[in-house]
Structures are given as structure tokens and as C-alpha cells.
Amino acid sequence: MLLSVVAISAPAAAAPQAALTASGPDAVAQGETFDVTYDLTNDGDEDAGSGGIEFQLPDGVEITNYDADSGNAADGAYFFINGITQGETKTLTVTFEVAADAATGDSTVTAEGFVGTESASTVDTTVTVNSVDNGSDGSDGSDGSDGSDGSDGSDGSDGSDGSDGSDSSDGSDGAIENRDVVNGDVFVTSGNTVFQGEEGLVFGNSADETFSASQLSGTSGNREGTPLQMPIPVNEETGTYDLNGPDSGDGGFSTTVVEPRITTSEVQLADTGSDVSQVGPDSAGQLKIFAEWNFGEAEGLAITVEDPSGADITNEVLLDDTNTDGGTDVLQYGENEDNAEDASVGLDLEGEDAGEYTVIFEGNDNLDQDSVIEEYTIELTTEDELSIDVAEDSVTQGSNVDYTVSGGTDGQFRLVTIDESDFADGVSDEQAADIFRNVDDVSETGYNSADDSYAYAIVEIDGTSAVGSIESQFLDTGDATVEVYSYENEVSSLDSDDLEDDVDLEVTEGELTLDSPTDEYTIGSEVDVNGSAEAADEVRLYALNNDNWELVKVNGQTNIDVDSDDTFEVEDVALSNGDGGGNDILAFEGQYQIGVIDAADAENIELDSGDDSEINTSSWTSNDGTRATISVESGGLTAQFGTVDGQFATEDSTMTVNGTADGQSNVVVAFVGERGDVDVTEVSVDNDGTFDEEDVSVDLSQGAASGHVISLGRDGTVGDGDLPSASGGTVGTDELSTFITDLEDQSLTGNQVRDRIVSQTTEADATDDLMVSTTFRVTEASVSLDSVYPEGAQADGINPVAAGETMVVEGSTNLQPDDNSIVLNVLNQNDNSVESASVDEWGNDGQFTLTVDTSDLETGTYTLEADSGDTTDSTDIEIVEERQQTDNGTDTGDDTGDDTGDDTGDDTGDDTGDDTGDDTGDDTGDDTGADNGDDTGADNGDDTGADNGSSDGGSTDGSTPGFGALVALVALIAAALLATRRNN
């Protein structure tokens, strides 16, 4: 008793694409009906003009009813859907009946759903068919009483001669067929069904052996062991009852209780079989009442027709086979019959008053309980008047709007038109043919260019109305008139006498906005292009220069798609890059106009097409192109180098470099050593114009060095576009990196390398390249302990700290922060660490501060050691019991500290420091430089004094054009750092 639903996967979504699913019961008994609900979805990216579901039925199973969510056509084992739009799902519930003698076991219904003509999806529904009589004792007719001896009535004794058993005739041989009437009793034979609400039944296979209802009891479920009642209650538990009840076998007799149901009850057009809920006088006399129900073997279906006042007019309006009054009011067709026409009777409402008529369907004997009764209403109108209406009175140009034709009769075709005077300017014949969309109940669309030129749709009335859709993109702004005619096809000339109705549709202009880019744009930078566009499918971006608007290609594309929420956006667009005329405009500094326009309008009004698309200003304005002012600028360059106190330790190997380079994708970072060695890295620039690279390689020999960040400017070309190492084509950052790298192999000094870099970039002819430079010294890693003092008593040098006080340690290093850490250990006399602290953050000046808690330290002398892993420094410190205080306390501390500090520090610092520095530096620099000649002067200038550096700087400047003060600054920093360097 298992339901197995297996869906055959459809291909990846295309246009259109079918997806069919099904849900139904697990099991059903012989003679019962079951429903399966199917959902057919168009999963593709286009509408489909039609769809459908085709069924393959196993033996013993047939379709008795279709129940769809929209008016569609059913024909035997095929259900037709007239139109299914993209993403739309159509739902269909199908009622199947299992024959009373159907084979037991699994029975599979196969359904194949179609969308369009090329895509299908198949689903299987498997239902387990259970027997109502397992025949375990042979009483199911295995003794021959099932007619195998010829007693099946083939001799006429089954009533075909008019005798249905009411005269006690059960067949000459005594055999009884199911539902035979014997001596006034209705016999139900073993294995057949009975219905809730029935009465007066006798159970038995012959007149000699009968059973009362109470002898039969439920076999399982809620009915298990419960005797069957007679009359059968309307709420009796459905299912199997037999002589053995829940025990195995049926004891020789079984029956199944089924809920009586009317599955179809409607009024149809006699010639098409389509159900109608409204009808005019032209078709009021061409109707029929049709029904399907599952208890046809028990009784017929009584039909009652009531007029709008509730009066019974059945006998007046039912038609017989000759279409005259007096048709039967009891239908004799059940779901198990073969001739569906026996389940209908003609209906003639012609000449009746307008209003709503009710048709009542119910069993004609016992089965007339409320749960069985069905009603159908049909409205009779006074005249066949077509009317047309639109879903919205006003729409934005470019959007779709639905229209509805009402008042027709099912199956009729009618013509809907819009005159060409309502078309937009420049609309072609092909575009005019697309004004009416071929969707929903539309069977044909087109453009008629004969005597009367108009766009048209031919719609088929489904029930009493037809629905279609209009594409307003090709309609002019203002009021457009939509008309419906009584014609069934397009005609060359429209006659106002055949005009049934019309409606005005207001078409308004769609608003366009450009939110970005506006205001300022840096050449070469990437920005987002976004805004809104009501009712446009695509837009185009243009820039105005002089007289015409010129196309701006957006990442190589001409058009920008508009989303369903009427917005558009393209990210990371370099406006100055592209082969559109507008791209060229935005590649030069200046102030311009930029805007968007509907792509469809642009195609109609452009002066030139393709990459050279241009629109004149008057056409731009009349077609509602939007505009904004944009200032185009060249990008600047800033850079910061992560040197520490003007130094770089060779142990670090990498340095942080960051800054801004608006409009650039990459910058070149080059480091040059004094021996001509170089290290070059390309660093990418983010969309916001910033770059930040933490691990830029610095592989230089020790000594004075320089760092440079180079960007290529607006034109994106190095210098004048010609590099010695480049082999033609674009000369960009890759070629520049190669050029600088190759300089290292040419036995050049650092100054010569720098000179050649500058000559090819910032000092080249007509260049717009930019460069930011710095100088520093490459040296070994260093760390030093500079000051120790108690917290709150800052002092220079190494000072004693009282036990229990917090010791503050100040030091300096040339190592990179974050990548390194300095560990401070307090060592006792046995070189064991008794306290420690660490730091991994300090500024570009290399100064760091640590604190140590001395609460656990005894008084005495300790060694304070700072270790970076690459280098160490140490000093002795004293932990005392109590620091000595002056007698004057705070006043003395202030006076003495200030006086001594000011007098001694200033005097000594000014007199001694300045005199010694100036006199010694100047004298030594001048004398030694002059006496020793160029060689000695150069050495003393670099290593010893600023003056010597200046003296030699003159000749240095002359030999390194473009760097001048930069080279002198390298020498000055080298000398200063050498003088302050501390060896461990």
C-alpha cells in the first residue's frame, strides 16, 4: 500500500520548460475512485502558447472527471491548457475510478506534462488496488455460479427483454447479477460496492442464500469488527465488510462501503462541451446539463432547474432527443458506463427572463443527502454585449497591462485593436505587431497595414470572457484607445457598426534617474553605475561633448539590463576605458554632462549606430534622457613607507607600504640600495583608490637606500611610452617593473639607478607619471635599553626602583612592529629570569615602553635584558628598599629638578652640544675634506659630518639629475644613523 511518485528530471531551465508533479493516495479498493492532483509549471524563461497533460491508463482504471484551476479543455485521456506564462503553475485534479473487477496489486497511471511543443516532464502515480473479496472459501463464484455455465443472461434472461427481475425473474437458471431485483429486493452480490445512505438491500449470490447487513462486519481500521447497518448510515465508515470481519478470509461474502459523490455537475454548450456560467440569448437555447457520479449502479441522478425566483421550471426547460420539451429529469449514467451522452440532457433557456438560474443534482432515490447534492448556477443575460476593460487606467510607457473582453460566449473569437495613430514615433511594422502580446486567451496577434492600419489580437472567449495583454513600449504617451469588434478575424477595413466597446488607456512617460556616477570622477578609477528606469528593459549610458551625446560602453557592453524592481546597477566600471565615443570623452580632464536613456528609444533616434552611437541634444530631450554633471580629474599619489626611525633591519626582509593612487589598478614599489641593488614589487590598488601591502620585499645590502612608489598617471603609459627593455605595445607597470629589475645587472651605483628610473618616468617627455620617494638606511637589527625609572617618577638613564614599585623600561629598536616582539627579562645573579614582559607594537620612531611589577623582587642588583630574537641589550638595575627622598620633599624636588635640569641641561646641551657639534663637525668637515681631497672628503662627508656631506653633495647633485636633495638626504641620514648606532 505504497504511493510511489517518480518524476523524470527535465533539462536545465530553457524557454519554455515543463515541470510536472503529482500527489495522490496510497491505495484504493476495487470499484472505488481516487483523486490525483497535478501541478504543471513553466520553469523556463519564456511564455508558452499552450500546454497540456496526457495520461496513459492501466487496465481497469479510467478518468471520470477533470477539475482545473482555470477554464481549459479535456478530451478523454488528454487535458489541454491554452497558454502558460513563465513561472506560472497550472493545477489539475483528476478523478480516476478502479473497475470492480480490476486486477489487484500495484496499478500505475502515467502522466506526461507538456509546455510548448518541445519540453515534457513525466510522473508516475502508483496505487495499490485491494480486493473486496479474497475468495478464500471459493464462494466468489468458483463453483460456476458466476455465469460460467451460461447463466450470465446471454439468453436474454438478464432483463434485456424488459424483465429486470421485478417479476421475480432472476434468470432461468437461478443466477443473480449484482443489483438485480428479486421479489422486490435489490440484491448485492459478493465483491460489489454499496453506498452511504442506501437502504433496502439484500446481500447474497442467490435467492437461496442471503445475508443481513448485521452479519457483515468491518475488516480493519475504525470499522474493524463493527457490524454493517441497514439502512446504511450516511456517515458509515467506508471500506470492506465481510462475514469474517477482521479475521482472515471473507467467510464467503464481502462488500465495500463507498461514499457517494457527484464528481461533475455543470451546464455546457451543446456543441463544444465547454462549461458556461453566463450566456446570452444567442446561445441560451443550445445548452445541456451534464453530470458524472460514482453511484450510477445504485441509482440515477435527479435534475431540478429553478428560475431566479426559486420556482421549479424543470419540465419546461429540459429537452428530449429531438430538442423539444419533455427531456428526462433523471440521468442514468454513472462513472462506470461507456456512453457519456447518457449522462446529459438538453437545456433551453431561450425566452426565459434574464437572471441567475440554479441546476440541482442529487440521487433520484435514497442518495439525496446534503453531502451528495451539488448545485450549478448560470446567468442568463438580456443580450449578447461584448465589453472591454483594462486592468489599469494608466500605465508607464514600456510596461505591460492586461485587458479583459467580457460578455461573450465560450468558444467565440473576437477582434481587439489599437489604431496606428496611437503608436509611438518611429515604430516599425514588426514592433507594431508586438503591441498585443500572444498570451492567455489570445490566439493570434499582428499588424494590419491594409485600408485601416492597426495592431490587433484575436481572442477566444473562455466561458464568458477572454484575457490578453498589451505591451505599451510602442505606444505614444497620452490616451490610446483599445477597441473590441464582433469580427472573428482581422479585416482590411473596420466598420463602426461592428464596434462592440472601447476603453482608453493612458500611457505616461517612465522616469529615469542616474544616481552614480555623478559629481567627480578620477580617470582610470572604477565606479558603480546605477539608477532607476521605470518600464524600461534596458538603458544606455552617454556623455555629452559639444553637440551630441556619445555612447559610454560599460565594461564592454552597450546596454545595461533593468531589474524587475525598475533599478539597474553595474559594479566596478572604469568609465574612461572602452571603445565608445563617450569613453574617450571621460578619459580627459574637464566638466561634462552624463546621462542614461531607454535603450529602445536610443535605437530609434541614434544618428550613428554601433560603437559610434550618437544622439543629438534635441532628440535626447524629447525622449526623456536624464542628465547630470560630472567633473573628470586625474588621480594623485600618496605613499607611506614602514621604516623605523629612518632604518630598516635586514632581519625583517619585508616592509609595509601604503597610500592612495586614484585611477590606478597597480603601482610599482621599487627599493634601491647604494650599491645599485634593487627590489621591485607591483602592488594592486583597491576600488576606493587605496593600497596597503604589508609584506613588500626589501632585499638590499646594508647602507643608504631609497624607496619609491610610481604610478602611471592618466594615460596609463610609462613616461613617453618607450622603455629600453619594452618590445612594443602598451608600456605599463609590468614593463616598468622589468626595466627597473634589469638595472641591477648593469653594474650601476644607487644614484645611477635612481637617475635612470626618473629619466624614464617623471622626467620623460610629455609624461604624467607620479612618484613618491623616501630615504632610509639598511642595517642590522638593533634593540637598546634607554631608561629605567619607577612609575610616576620619569627620569632619563638607569635609575633605582624601590621594591614593590612598578618599574618602567623605555627602549628603542629598528625592527618592524607587529612582525617582531621584544621580550624583557629580569635576571638574578644566577641568570635566572624572575620577571618578564613583552611588547610587539611601537611607532615608526622605534620607541617602546614596558612595565614590570617588582612586588616579588628582593632588594639587590639584577640584570635587565631585552631580546628581540635577532639582537639583545642588557643593563644592571638596582632594586632598593626605599628610594632616597630630599628633605624638601615636593618643593625641593621641583626646585632642584627644574633648576638643575634647566640650567645644567640647557647650558651643557646648548654650549657643549652645539659648540662641539658645530665646531668639531664644521672644522673637521671643512679641514679634513679640503686636506684629504675628494676621496677623504667623500668618506668623511658620508660617515662623519653634515658639512662634508654637503660639500660632496654638490658634485653628487651634478651626477644624479632628478634626485638632488634626495641623494644628499640619503647621505645625511646615513651619517647620523652611524653615529647613533649601538653595538652589543
Side-chain angles (χ1 to χ4, degrees), residues 753-770:
V753 170
R754 286 185 279 268
D755 188 29
R756 296 196 182 190
I757 294 173
V758 170
S759 66
Q760 293 294 337
T761 56
T762 58
E763 292 186 359
D765 291 340
T767 184
D768 60 358
D769 295 349
L770 300 174

Side-chain angles (χ1 to χ4, degrees), residues 30 59-61 98-104 129:
Q30 291 172 319
D59 293 339
V61 177
V98 179
D101 60 351
T104 58
V129 177

Side-chain angles (χ1 to χ4, degrees), residues 364-661:
N364 74 314
D365 192 4
N366 305 134
L367 304 181
D368 57 0
Q369 58 262 37
D370 291 342
S371 61
V372 175
I373 298 175
E374 298 288 340
E375 293 186 358
Y376 189 92
T377 59
I378 180 171
E379 182 182 5
L380 176 62
T381 61
T382 56
E383 54 184 324
D384 289 299
E385 274 193 7
L386 283 178
S387 64
I388 190 168
D389 198 7
V390 286
E392 301 174 66
D393 294 332
S394 178
V395 295
T396 303
Q397 189 179 43
S399 60
N400 299 331
V401 60
D402 289 346
Y403 62 89
T404 302
V405 175
S406 303
T409 299
D410 188 85
Q412 292 178 339
F413 291 88
R414 293 294 178 258
L415 178 67
V416 183
T417 69
I418 295 178
D419 190 78
E420 70 171 352
S421 62
D422 292 325
F423 297 175
D425 294 339
V427 170
S428 65
D429 290 356
E430 291 77 10
Q431 292 170 330
D434 292 333
I435 290 177
F436 285 100
R437 304 174 63 216
N438 195 356
V439 298
D440 295 320
D441 299 319
V442 177
S443 63
E444 181 184 339
T445 63
Y447 170 64
N448 189 306
S449 58
D451 297 342
D452 290 325
S453 298
Y454 57 86
Y456 70 86
I458 298 175
V459 298
E460 181 179 6
I461 304 299
D462 185 0
T464 61
S465 63
V467 177
S469 180
I470 298 170
E471 166 59 79
S472 67
Q473 176 182 347
F474 304 118
L475 296 179
D476 198 4
T477 56
D479 287 341
T481 301
V482 187
E483 300 175 327
V484 58
Y485 288 83
S486 57
Y487 305 124
E488 292 193 351
N489 49 38
E490 78 275 16
V491 295
S492 61
S493 180
L494 299 172
D495 190 338
S496 59
D497 291 340
D498 299 313
L499 176 65
E500 298 285 345
D501 194 22
D502 62 65
V503 63
D504 285 338
L505 172 67
E506 182 184 19
V507 181
T508 61
E509 297 174 353
E511 183 179 0
L512 280 171
T513 65
L514 178 64
D515 300 328
S516 174
T518 57
D519 299 331
E520 296 180 354
Y521 173 69
T522 301
I523 298 171
S525 64
E526 293 183 347
V527 296
D528 293 342
V529 177
N530 56 53
S532 62
E534 290 183 346
D537 295 328
E538 295 176 316
V539 295
R540 289 184 183 177
L541 185 68
Y542 284 79
L544 175 64
N545 188 25
N546 298 325
D547 296 330
N548 293 332
W549 291 85
E550 299 187 37
L551 176 67
V552 178
K553 288 287 192 72
V554 177
N555 289 345
Q557 300 298 315
T558 299
N559 295 347
I560 303 172
D561 291 333
V562 179
D563 296 333
S564 58
D565 61 355
D566 293 336
T567 64
F568 61 88
E569 181 172 28
V570 181
E571 298 179 341
D572 304 333
V573 179
L575 298 176
S576 54
N577 297 342
D579 54 8
N583 299 108
D584 292 338
I585 293 173
L586 300 177
F588 291 88
E589 295 180 345
Q591 185 165 294
Y592 309 100
Q593 294 287 301
I594 189 170
V596 292
I597 192 170
D598 189 326
D601 291 341
E603 291 176 358
N604 289 331
I605 63 176
E606 61 187 357
L607 301 174
D608 298 301
S609 60
D611 297 339
D612 299 325
S613 175
E614 294 185 11
I615 300 173
N616 63 43
T617 54
S618 60
S619 296
W620 180 274
T621 302
S622 63
N623 283 271
D624 305 309
T626 189
R627 66 177 65 202
T629 300
I630 188 168
S631 296
V632 179
E633 304 171 347
S634 294
L637 178 66
T638 67
Q640 295 81 38
F641 299 82
T643 58
V644 179
D645 196 23
Q647 302 179 51
F648 177 79
T650 57
E651 288 80 358
D652 277 330
S653 74
T654 62
M655 181 189 300
T656 296
V657 180
N658 55 48
T660 60

Side-chain angles (χ1 to χ4, degrees), residues 892-912:
T892 304
D894 290 342
D895 296 340
T896 305
D898 291 344
D899 295 341
T900 305
D902 291 340
D903 298 340
T904 306
D906 290 342
D907 293 343
T908 305
D910 293 338
D911 298 340
T912 306

Side-chain angles (χ1 to χ4, degrees), residues 182-442:
V182 180
N183 298 324
D185 295 324
V186 177
F187 268 72
V188 175
T189 58
S190 181
N192 289 292
T193 59
V194 295
F195 300 91
Q196 294 171 332
E198 279 200 278
E199 56 185 76
L201 302 178
V202 172
F203 299 99
N205 294 318
S206 68
D208 298 330
E209 183 182 17
T210 61
F211 309 99
S212 65
S214 61
Q215 290 179 270
L216 308 177
S217 58
T219 59
S220 62
N222 293 333
R223 67 187 182 280
E224 183 175 327
T226 302
L228 182 62
Q229 302 178 61
M230 184 61 66
I232 302 173
V234 296
N235 60 349
E236 181 70 278
E237 291 287 342
T238 59
T240 303
Y241 294 77
D242 64 31
L243 292 174
N244 286 351
D247 296 336
S248 60
D250 62 7
F253 193 92
S254 68
T255 189
T256 301
V257 176
V258 176
E259 177 188 2
R261 291 190 307 128
I262 301 174
T263 55
T264 303
S265 53
E266 57 194 26
V267 175
Q268 302 176 346
L269 291 173
D271 54 349
T272 66
S274 301
D275 60 301
V276 291
S277 58
Q278 185 184 69
V279 66
D282 288 349
S283 301
Q286 305 167 26
L287 305 173
K288 69 177 180 180
I289 297 171
F290 176 77
E292 294 175 300
W293 62 103
N294 70 341
F295 52 90
E297 63 189 66
E299 57 188 69
L301 209 62
I303 303 298
T304 303
V305 182
E306 296 180 350
D307 67 10
S309 68
D312 187 343
I313 59 170
T314 305
N315 294 332
E316 298 179 9
V317 296
L318 297 185
L319 301 176
D320 61 18
D321 292 339
T322 61
N323 289 327
T324 57
D325 294 345
T328 179
D329 61 354
V330 177
L331 304 182
Q332 296 296 334
Y333 166 71
E335 286 184 325
N336 293 324
E337 297 294 333
D338 295 328
N339 187 1
E341 293 305 315
D342 290 342
S344 64
V345 61
L347 175 65
D348 180 12
L349 296 180
E350 187 176 6
E352 298 292 329
D353 294 335
E356 190 174 86
Y357 290 76
T358 303
V359 181
I360 303 171
F361 302 77
E362 58 186 329
N364 74 314
D365 192 4
N366 305 134
L367 304 181
D368 57 0
Q369 58 262 37
D370 291 342
S371 61
V372 175
I373 298 175
E374 298 288 340
E375 293 186 358
Y376 189 92
T377 59
I378 180 171
E379 182 182 5
L380 176 62
T381 61
T382 56
E383 54 184 324
D384 289 299
E385 274 193 7
L386 283 178
S387 64
I388 190 168
D389 198 7
V390 286
E392 301 174 66
D393 294 332
S394 178
V395 295
T396 303
Q397 189 179 43
S399 60
N400 299 331
V401 60
D402 289 346
Y403 62 89
T404 302
V405 175
S406 303
T409 299
D410 188 85
Q412 292 178 339
F413 291 88
R414 293 294 178 258
L415 178 67
V416 183
T417 69
I418 295 178
D419 190 78
E420 70 171 352
S421 62
D422 292 325
F423 297 175
D425 294 339
V427 170
S428 65
D429 290 356
E430 291 77 10
Q431 292 170 330
D434 292 333
I435 290 177
F436 285 100
R437 304 174 63 216
N438 195 356
V439 298
D440 295 320
D441 299 319
V442 177

Side-chain angles (χ1 to χ4, degrees), residues 40-52:
L40 178 61
T41 303
N42 182 353
D43 275 347
D45 53 16
E46 289 184 6
D47 297 343
S50 64

